[in-house]
Amino acid sequence: MDVLKTPPAAPTPPLTPAPRSPGHAEGVSNDEFRAALSRLAAGVVLLTAREPSLDPDDPAAPPGEDAGMTATAFMSVSLDPPLILVSLRNNSRMDDLLDEQPLWAVSILSESQSHIAGRFAMKGRISDRLLFEDIPYVRGTHTDAPLVGGALATLECRTEQRVTAGDHTLVIGRVLGATLPSADGGPLMYFRGRYRNLG
């Protein structure tokens, strides 16, 4: 009695990878990288500094302008000595400023200060002078940089080291002074492309 034989299965065609957005020769694409890291919730800070005077030897010369930038790539590095780190896009205004100005400050924003974060995250602005006009702040005693009123904490820093990392520069600063302007409220968070409150 003849036994019917099952014909061999057709070979499975190789899987075709989904088209990828422009990226790199190896590793994830830009879009994949952004999407993955957007799932990491981060605190929000305002980085501030005062430009040096155009002519520091002339007391009558106009003072330098204040500058500010919203940042989420911020972390503590060391307790002894007290060091923090912030990541800046290469050749951005703040990167250029901190390359010549070693003194700067960080205000850790509260959940009620998303308007401040959004204001200083705007791209293409020419001057920050108007952005500071209706924001309460005091000048740091160590850095002369604006310290935002109502922030959960403020830190005044002096640059200790700059490290180039891809398209960003990691600025490591020694903390010269710290204050706690506000004991109320929670932190402002950034998650999946939006400012959010904790909880």
Side-chain angles (χ1 to χ4, degrees):
M1 176 174 161
D2 294 335
V3 178
L4 295 175
K5 294 182 179 180
T6 303
T12 303
L15 295 176
T16 303
R20 308 180 79 184
S21 61
H24 316 282
E26 61 178 342
V28 298
S29 69
N30 291 352
D31 288 345
E32 289 169 332
F33 183 74
R34 289 192 187 100
L37 271 295
S38 73
R39 269 63 174 178
L40 176 64
V44 184
V45 304
L46 183 68
L47 178 65
T48 55
R50 189 167 179 81
E51 293 178 339
S53 170
L54 296 177
D55 187 353
D57 297 326
D58 181 3
E65 189 175 85
D66 293 323
M69 186 199 81
T70 302
T72 56
F74 168 82
M75 62 179 290
S76 64
V77 174
S78 167
L79 179 62
D80 185 16
L83 300 174
I84 60 174
L85 176 152
V86 65
S87 178
L88 306 177
R89 179 174 290 280
N90 293 342
N91 302 316
S92 65
R93 184 183 181 202
M94 190 60 74
D95 179 38
D96 291 342
L97 175 54
L98 295 194
D99 194 28
E100 60 175 308
Q101 167 60 283
L103 300 174
W104 44 280
V106 170
S107 297
I108 300 176
L109 300 181
S110 74
E111 59 191 359
S112 64
Q113 295 178 316
S114 60
H115 63 291
I116 296 176
R119 178 181 298 189
F120 284 91
M122 291 188 303
K123 297 180 180 179
R125 61 185 188 271
I126 299 174
S127 170
D128 288 353
R129 181 176 56 83
L130 297 178
L131 301 184
F132 282 101
E133 278 196 346
D134 60 348
I135 294 176
Y137 67 86
V138 297
R139 293 210 171 273
T141 56
H142 301 281
T143 61
D144 203 33
L147 308 176
V148 176
L152 296 181
T154 64
L155 305 165
E156 293 188 79
C157 308
R158 181 185 66 235
T159 300
E160 292 278 296
Q161 189 177 0
R162 291 171 58 89
V163 180
T164 300
D167 57 8
H168 278 63
T169 296
L170 309 179
V171 181
I172 300 172
R174 178 185 288 259
V175 178
L176 306 175
T179 63
L180 305 176
S182 174
D184 299 327
L188 181 63
M189 307 296 293
Y190 192 71
F191 178 67
R192 298 188 71 174
R194 292 177 54 194
Y195 296 116
R196 302 172 188 263
N197 297 343
L198 189 64

